[in-house]
Amino acid sequence: MSEFFQQPPRAGNRFHTDPSLRLLTQWHLPDAIYEQAEPQLERMGALADEVMGALAEQAETNEPEHTPYDAWGRRIDRVRIDDSWRELMRIGQREGLVAIPHERAYGAHSRVVQAGLVHLYDPASAVADCPLVMTDGAVTLLQEHDPGLAEHYNPRLTAREGAWTAGQWMTEKEGGSDVSGTSTVASQDADGRWRLYGTKWFTSAVTADMALALARAETSAGEDQGLSLFLLELRNADDTWNGLEIRRLKDKLGTRALPTAEIDLVGAAAVPVGSLGGGVRKLAGLLNVARFWAAIGGPAGVGQLLALARDYAGKREAFGSLLRDNPIHRRWLARISADYEAMLALNFETAAQLGQSENGGPKELARLLAPLNKLACARQAAQTGSELLESFGGAGYVEDTGIPRLFRNLHVHCIWEGTTSVLAHDVVRALGAPENAEAFADDICRRLKNLTTAGTARVKQKIESELDVLMPLVNDPREEEARRIGWGMARIYQGVLLAEFAEWKKSAFDDDAGFATAELFCRRGLVDEPFPETDADTAGRMAFGS
């Protein structure tokens, strides 16, 4: 009797095995820019496939450890992270994941190239891109709000060798996403230097070189200067902590290789970023960048799972045939693939708009797409990832296949930089500026007008019908409709982008499968049905019980 061994799935170099990722990158880049970027994208795909996977497995197996005291009782707060995780971070730095949008070798298209690279890097990185996210955001913030600090720190943060990383320390027990609840205080000592005192509840870069922290500034004269932004280096010249104590490392659902800590600031020396006050306002540019990366992380993981599922379908037999030849399985993966392509399309359009806004272009669409992209793609990725886990049967539930790790790490993107409801609230706030709503309406209408083939006719009609429902909500945004507005705007944008992409693929490659993808995505509805007419008390009892 011969013993059967199932051949495991392999994703391969996803720049080659993931046509949606490759072609959406190509669609968004001029030919000359694509030719310039293609070798780097191929190299990143090869690194993820051939080098990073083993490093990620090692990093996730050897989780960070915190030692608060040495053998003699001295407070040391040593955090050990595996060398594999540091190497994963160095790979991202060497490949320019932080540097590219600031070097601007690709001009206004630099964020699109960056997005393609992050899609390939993220699933194989054991979330070592988290410090890179915050470093990219810190560079953006310092450029905008403090040229002096930017001149000093940004060359270190954007270096490709020996680079620094930056953290962003905003979250506290009292406020969570509501940073108005910040209780950390910045006080001036007798020499006029600023010192930070307080607790930060989530710090995902406790091993960074520097951090940006919110605190309430109180001058030596006792004047309250309001919520302000400060920069601190984590270590003193003698490598001791700069007024910082670590309470513990968080025990998390996923991102297990990432050292996330609770910390106490006990007189950490810091300097204000720009003038005092306006701390929340200064975070806007950083937040857009961080949300952009978080929105990529979800579909990046889905892309890895989908590549594995497609390969597995060609290796796994069930009921007398390969999974890929089973009509139920084919239609199921086709639907998942349509959702994945919709996420990618919105990711790359957001990258394009962000890049244009950073290079002197209009900012209205970038302001809206930052929360819309994160709202939709992070949550869609968690749902789609769950289905893809099922495609491997019991093997998808077994730790040493690596598949559960990918699935767990998807979920953090729904939390980082704002939950779905926080993002929906931000969309409603952005729509309070009429120019943002006008930019959305004008852009959608322009894109619809340019859809001219018979293949997109039904999709175009569906989107126009759904716009009749959505636009009154967009033009009169109310808080209680925030999630419906945000989801409706995001899905309509995804539907339009899929239709445009389908026409391009037909024109460039005589490939008409994109028409079916766009129609399949749009058929399930783009704008949610309204909440049943009821009073607030009844809604509360429905939500929380009588």
Side-chain angles (χ1 to χ4, degrees):
M1 185 177 69
S2 63
E3 189 173 3
F4 172 76
F5 294 99
Q6 176 62 50
Q7 289 298 310
R10 277 203 60 188
N13 181 335
R14 281 184 50 234
F15 189 67
H16 299 302
T17 64
D18 187 338
S20 296
L21 176 59
R22 185 179 67 255
L23 292 175
L24 273 159
T25 308
Q26 184 175 353
W27 180 45
H28 271 90
L29 294 174
D31 290 346
I33 297 291
Y34 181 76
E35 289 176 11
Q36 182 184 351
E38 188 176 19
Q40 187 173 3
L41 291 159
E42 288 183 336
R43 184 170 66 250
M44 181 62 84
L47 284 168
D49 179 43
E50 300 166 13
V51 177
M52 293 174 60
L55 291 171
E57 184 174 354
Q58 181 178 333
E60 294 270 5
T61 301
N62 300 301
E63 296 182 12
E65 294 178 352
H66 171 223
T67 304
Y69 300 97
D70 71 6
W72 307 103
R74 283 185 291 252
R75 184 90 190 224
I76 56 172
D77 283 320
R78 182 183 297 119
V79 178
R80 183 204 63 79
I81 56 175
D82 197 80
D83 288 342
S84 57
W85 200 78
R86 295 186 187 277
E87 179 58 23
L88 286 164
M89 196 161 49
R90 285 192 288 265
I91 289 172
Q93 290 167 325
R94 284 197 297 266
E95 294 302 312
L97 295 189
V98 175
I100 282 171
H102 306 288
E103 293 170 343
R104 300 191 179 178
Y106 302 104
H109 306 286
S110 296
R111 287 286 181 191
V112 174
V113 175
Q114 181 193 36
L117 292 169
V118 174
H119 266 286
L120 295 163
Y121 173 87
D122 175 89
S125 74
V127 201
D129 48 355
C130 175
L132 308 185
V133 173
M134 293 180 282
T135 303
D136 185 1
V139 172
T140 302
L141 185 148
L142 293 178
Q143 284 175 339
E144 182 177 1
H145 295 291
D146 199 316
L149 290 177
E151 184 178 3
H152 181 71
Y153 286 103
N154 283 3
R156 307 181 193 191
L157 297 172
T158 57
R160 290 180 181 241
E161 294 291 344
W164 278 28
T165 58
Q168 58 185 65
W169 295 355
M170 316 303 167
T171 305
E172 300 189 4
K173 291 182 290 184
E174 296 87 346
S177 295
D178 181 7
V179 294
S180 65
T182 296
S183 62
T184 296
V185 173
S187 301
Q188 282 184 298
D189 61 21
D191 296 326
R193 292 174 298 184
W194 289 96
R195 302 279 180 178
L196 303 184
Y197 300 88
T199 299
K200 296 296 181 181
W201 195 238
F202 277 93
T203 60
S204 288
V206 75
T207 53
D209 300 281
M210 54 172 278
L212 298 170
L214 278 178
R216 298 193 177 279
E218 298 176 355
T219 67
S220 55
E223 298 169 332
D224 184 354
Q225 298 295 312
L227 204 54
S228 303
L229 192 64
F230 289 85
L231 184 152
L232 66 150
E233 295 186 18
L234 272 63
R235 296 279 183 172
N236 298 312
D238 61 359
D239 202 37
T240 57
W241 289 108
N242 169 24
L244 184 143
E245 294 179 353
I246 298 174
R247 291 185 170 195
R248 61 175 174 172
L249 297 181
K250 298 285 194 183
D251 187 9
K252 299 163 293 178
L253 169 70
T255 68
R256 305 288 298 187
L258 172 68
T260 305
E262 298 169 20
I263 64 170
D264 288 324
L265 298 168
V266 288
V271 296
V273 176
S275 58
L276 294 175
V280 176
R281 173 182 54 80
K282 290 173 185 173
L283 289 171
L286 181 153
L287 198 58
N288 280 351
V289 170
R291 286 175 172 174
F292 165 62
W293 279 73
I296 291 174
V302 168
Q304 184 78 0
L305 286 168
L306 182 57
L308 291 170
R310 286 168 169 167
D311 185 64
Y312 192 61
K315 296 174 175 177
R316 179 65 175 170
E317 287 191 13
F319 305 109
S321 66
L322 291 170
L323 285 177
R324 67 175 301 139
D325 297 324
N326 182 290
I328 303 174
H329 198 76
R330 289 167 71 96
R331 289 197 171 203
W332 180 41
L333 276 191
R335 192 175 290 278
I336 290 172
S337 299
D339 288 344
Y340 171 59
E341 200 160 287
M343 291 182 255
L344 286 183
L346 191 54
N347 278 178
F348 280 102
E349 184 58 34
T350 302
Q353 294 295 337
L354 180 59
Q356 290 175 32
S357 73
E358 292 175 336
N359 286 268
K363 300 183 182 300
E364 290 82 5
L365 280 177
R367 169 67 182 90
L368 274 176
L369 287 181
L372 287 173
N373 184 35
K374 160 79 162 68
L375 174 152
C377 295
R379 175 49 54 195
Q380 288 169 330
Q383 294 165 344
T384 307
S386 176
E387 294 211 55
L388 284 168
L389 191 77
E390 186 182 343
S391 73
F392 303 98
Y397 207 66
V398 176
E399 281 293 339
D400 57 6
T401 65
I403 294 167
R405 184 176 72 234
L406 284 168
F407 177 63
R408 282 196 303 273
N409 287 347
L410 286 177
H411 287 71
V412 74
H413 302 293
C414 300
I415 307 296
W416 275 346
E417 316 307 340
T419 62
T420 308
S421 290
V422 168
L423 294 162
H425 166 79
D426 190 47
V427 170
V428 167
R429 186 173 60 179
L431 291 174
E435 62 271 20
N436 291 334
E438 290 170 9
F440 171 80
D442 291 347
D443 193 57
I444 292 293
C445 290
R446 175 186 62 80
R447 292 173 186 275
L448 286 172
K449 185 177 180 180
N450 290 336
L451 295 176
T452 56
T453 69
T456 57
R458 285 195 296 268
V459 169
K460 183 176 180 179
Q461 184 179 21
K462 172 69 172 177
I463 292 171
E464 288 172 340
S465 173
E466 300 260 3
L467 275 173
D468 289 339
V469 177
L470 178 67
M471 288 314 298
L473 301 174
V474 169
N475 293 326
D476 181 23
R478 292 179 292 154
E479 186 75 10
E480 64 268 27
E481 294 280 13
R483 289 180 70 108
R484 187 178 178 216
I485 292 169
W487 273 111
M489 293 175 71
R491 289 188 192 121
I492 279 179
Y493 229 112
Q494 288 176 317
V496 172
L497 292 170
L498 287 177
E500 289 184 302
F501 184 45
E503 291 199 342
W504 176 80
K505 284 198 292 185
K506 176 64 176 175
S507 173
F509 302 104
D510 196 27
D511 178 1
D512 59 5
F515 297 133
T517 297
E519 188 167 349
L520 186 59
F521 178 81
C522 291
R523 271 187 178 181
R524 283 172 289 170
L526 304 174
V527 182
D528 290 339
E529 291 295 316
F531 194 79
E533 202 61 45
T534 186
D535 57 38
D537 180 64
T538 301
R541 285 187 285 115
M542 291 168 62
F544 302 109
S546 300

